[in-house]
């Protein structure tokens, strides 16, 4: 292979599949390797439209298996790594913290070691891009924004594991000179979003007339970004970001959960030609998430000023596109909500 090789981990997941598609289509002269263990969250149906592309290869592998990862790196010799593979759901991290440590911390260190091994201090044209989250900064009060210099203050096992992985990535830059960049992004939404997360869970429940579970009083606030705009930001930082630096990515688009769900209900009623107010009747306040962060909001000024980034999709448009995608992809939704999902759902919401 003479083409530049970019290895993307977690490419069968929600965000990863959009990143893989963006890179496969935009960079025909690069070879894109999608390395994914295909956990419950990984789904090759997300990538049917690129699976035959000549510059795309899928490799099933687990980032916690250090020997296998090293062998794959020695075979494919990636010039760049974009690392998204992770356990990503806060509620699952509360039930099973250790699997988050194993995948998110040890898995990341395995990738760093493999990159260090194959690059051997020749870092010209090389890059390790770690995809992280705004949750590492903890929770904001009613005002303020997270900047790249905000102190790390994670509260859930998920965010603690992501914070730890961020520290390891920076440590490999400072100690071994590994050429790294990091992005810390706010809540994504869009096509292929797994229905354990708020927006797709609500869409799924509205479609099947099931209660919409709102944790606590519903006044928790998140900053929502359309997933394709996250993929664009990753492309930009991967190619143009400064070594050793991190970039916050967000939509300047804050919503209280309850207000967002009410808007979603309104749009769903419209699209399903249901009587206005039908879906809203499904809203049910349930037991709060332990350690629930009140508010996340990103100051995305640095990526805007330095790299010219701005989201391209408004929230109104993005939410409409998302609902339309779920309505046109009911088979996808059925596949991912059968089997294991039912057991997860019973356990999580019948407490
Ligand atoms: P996801 O759960 O939808 O997908 C994760 C992917 O990683 C899946 O394809 C899964 O099979 C794969 N994976 C999990 N464990 C693995 C392992 N041990 N080895 C190899 N592959 C493994 O997650 P997502 O929402 O697409 O998030 C992707 C990344 O972006 C994560 O690192 C997450 O922390 C980060 N992030 C997510 C959001 C968000 O709103 N979803 C926001 C900011 C950052
Ligand atoms: O901020 C970025 C993070 O966003 C990512 O790092 C995570 O991977 C991603 O899962 C997401 O985390 P959140 O915890 O914010 O997302 P979630 O969709 O689980 O929840 C969004 C909000 O909705 C949060 O305040 C909890 C609430 N919620 C969630 C679920 C699943 C409910 O009220 N009811 C629910 O059933």
């Amino acid at each position: 292979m003479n083409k530049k090789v970019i290895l993307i981990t977690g490419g069968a997941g929600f965000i990863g599949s959009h990143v893989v598609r963006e890179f496969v289509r935009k960079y025909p002269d690069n070879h894109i390797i999608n390395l994914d263990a295909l956990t419950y969250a990984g789904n090759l149906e997300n990538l049917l439209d690129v699976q035959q592309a000549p510059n795309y290869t899928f490799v099933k592998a687990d980032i916690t298996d250090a020997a296998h990862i090293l062998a794959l790196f020695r075979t494919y010799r990636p010039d760049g790594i974009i690392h998204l593979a992770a356990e990503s759901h806060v509620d699952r991290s509360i039930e099973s913290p250790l699997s988050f440590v194993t995948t998110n911390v040890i898995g990341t260190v395995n990738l760093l070691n493999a990159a260090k091994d194959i690059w051997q201090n020749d870092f010209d044209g090389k890059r390790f891009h770690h995809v992280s989250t705004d949750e590492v900064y903890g929770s904001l009060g009613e005002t303020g924004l997270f900047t790249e210099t905000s102190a790390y203050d994670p509260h859930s096992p998920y965010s603690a594991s992501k914070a730890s992985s961020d520290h390891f990535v920076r440590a490999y830059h400072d100690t071994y000179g590994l050429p790294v960049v990091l992005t810390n992004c706010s809540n994504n939404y869009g096509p292929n979003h797994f229905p354990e997360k708020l927006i797709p869970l609500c869409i799924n429940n509205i479609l099947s007339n099931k209660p919409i579970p709102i944790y606590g009083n519903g006044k928790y606030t998140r900053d929502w970004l359309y997933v394709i705009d996250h993929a664009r930001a990753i492309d930009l930082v991967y190619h143009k970001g400064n070594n050793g630096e991190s970039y916050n990515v967000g939509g300047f688009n804050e919503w209280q959960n309850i207000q967002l769900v009410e808007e979603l209900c309104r749009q769903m009623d419209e699209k399903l030609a249901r009587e206005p107010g039908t879906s809203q009747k499904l809203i049910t306040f349930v037991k709060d998430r332990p350690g629930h962060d009140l508010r996340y909001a990103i100051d995305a000024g640095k990526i805007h000023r330095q790299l010219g980034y701005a989201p391209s999709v408004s929230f109104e448009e993005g939410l409409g596109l998302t609902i339309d995608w779920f309505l046109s992809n009911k088979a996808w939704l059925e596949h991912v909500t059968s089997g294991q999902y039912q057991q997860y759902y019973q356990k999580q919401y019948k407490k």
Side-chain angles (χ1 to χ4, degrees):
M1 256 182 229
N2 290 326
K3 291 177 167 190
K4 272 211 163 201
V5 175
I6 302 174
L7 186 145
I8 299 177
T9 72
F14 165 47
I15 302 169
S17 60
H18 290 279
V19 176
V20 166
R21 179 175 299 101
E22 175 91 1
F23 274 70
V24 167
R25 288 194 179 151
K26 194 166 166 189
Y27 302 108
D29 290 338
N30 290 171
H31 197 91
I32 309 304
I33 303 198
N34 172 12
L35 185 156
D36 198 296
L38 298 182
T39 68
Y40 78 92
N43 184 353
L44 290 176
E45 276 184 59
N46 294 345
L47 288 164
L48 292 178
D49 54 333
V50 296
Q51 68 181 4
Q52 302 296 346
N55 65 333
Y56 172 73
T57 301
F58 172 71
V59 178
K60 187 170 187 300
D62 187 332
I63 59 169
T64 67
D65 182 345
H68 191 202
I69 292 301
L70 185 58
L72 289 171
F73 271 51
R74 287 181 178 168
T75 303
Y76 291 107
R77 306 205 72 78
D79 302 285
I81 291 115
I82 304 179
H83 174 36
L84 296 104
E87 289 294 338
S88 69
H89 191 37
V90 173
D91 293 325
R92 289 186 193 253
S93 82
I94 295 165
E95 287 300 314
S96 172
L98 203 54
S99 56
F100 282 67
V101 177
T102 311
T103 295
N104 299 357
V105 185
I106 297 173
T108 300
V109 176
N110 287 339
L111 293 167
L112 290 164
N113 281 337
K116 181 170 160 287
D117 178 275
I118 57 159
W119 292 342
Q120 294 285 334
N121 291 322
D122 178 7
F123 297 137
D124 192 30
K126 306 294 192 291
R127 177 139 277 189
F128 189 108
H129 182 147
H130 180 58
V131 177
S132 193
T133 170
D134 61 357
E135 299 202 13
V136 298
Y137 300 121
S139 184
L140 292 162
E142 311 253 308
T143 58
L145 299 171
F146 296 131
T147 70
E148 287 79 1
T149 55
S150 297
Y152 274 35
D153 182 24
H155 298 135
S156 73
Y158 163 70
S159 52
S161 70
K162 291 296 291 187
S164 172
S165 66
D166 289 13
H167 292 319
F168 273 103
V169 171
R170 288 200 185 92
Y172 271 61
H173 172 264
D174 296 349
T175 308
Y176 308 111
L178 215 71
V180 308
V181 280
L182 297 91
T183 39
N184 293 80
C185 188
S186 62
N187 286 64
N188 285 213
Y189 70 99
N192 311 95
H193 205 180
F194 194 83
E196 63 189 352
K197 311 281 167 64
L198 181 67
I199 290 180
L201 185 132
C202 291
I203 294 174
N204 189 36
N205 286 16
I206 290 169
L207 283 173
S208 44
N209 279 308
K210 278 175 29 189
I212 297 173
I214 302 291
Y215 295 160
N217 62 10
K219 300 224 165 122
Y220 297 92
T221 300
R222 298 291 182 265
D223 173 357
W224 294 91
L225 182 73
Y226 193 57
V227 64
I228 287 167
D229 279 328
H230 187 188
R232 287 177 50 246
I234 289 172
D235 178 21
L236 204 56
V237 173
Y238 174 80
H239 286 103
K240 303 214 168 108
N242 290 328
N243 266 342
E245 292 196 19
S246 45
Y247 296 82
N248 281 355
V249 186
F252 289 110
N253 177 41
E254 287 183 51
W255 286 77
Q256 273 192 354
N257 293 340
I258 187 66
Q259 287 169 350
L260 182 148
V261 170
E262 282 170 4
E263 172 60 16
L264 181 63
C265 288
R266 194 191 62 71
Q267 289 201 27
M268 287 290 286
D269 284 348
E270 217 170 85
K271 291 190 191 273
L272 294 169
R274 290 180 177 173
E275 192 69 27
T278 308
S279 300
Q280 204 169 318
K281 288 195 193 115
L282 298 170
I283 291 178
T284 311
F285 290 91
V286 300
K287 191 167 163 276
D288 210 347
R289 171 185 281 176
H292 201 163
D293 288 329
L294 176 67
R295 177 171 163 259
Y296 305 145
I298 278 278
D299 178 349
K302 176 178 173 181
I303 189 172
H304 176 65
R305 282 189 305 276
Q306 293 191 6
L307 306 179
Y309 172 80
S312 65
V313 178
S314 70
F315 187 64
E316 198 188 16
E317 191 189 345
L319 196 59
L321 288 168
T322 303
I323 297 172
D324 290 346
W325 186 86
F326 277 92
L327 295 181
S328 324
N329 288 276
K330 290 202 179 127
W332 181 94
L333 199 51
E334 274 161 30
H335 295 166
V336 302
T337 52
S338 62
Q340 245 187 34
Y341 179 84
Q342 295 303 332
Q343 287 158 27
Y344 163 78
Y345 198 89
Q346 291 302 326
K347 205 166 162 220
Q348 179 63 23
Y349 293 100
K350 294 279 185 291
K351 285 174 183 166

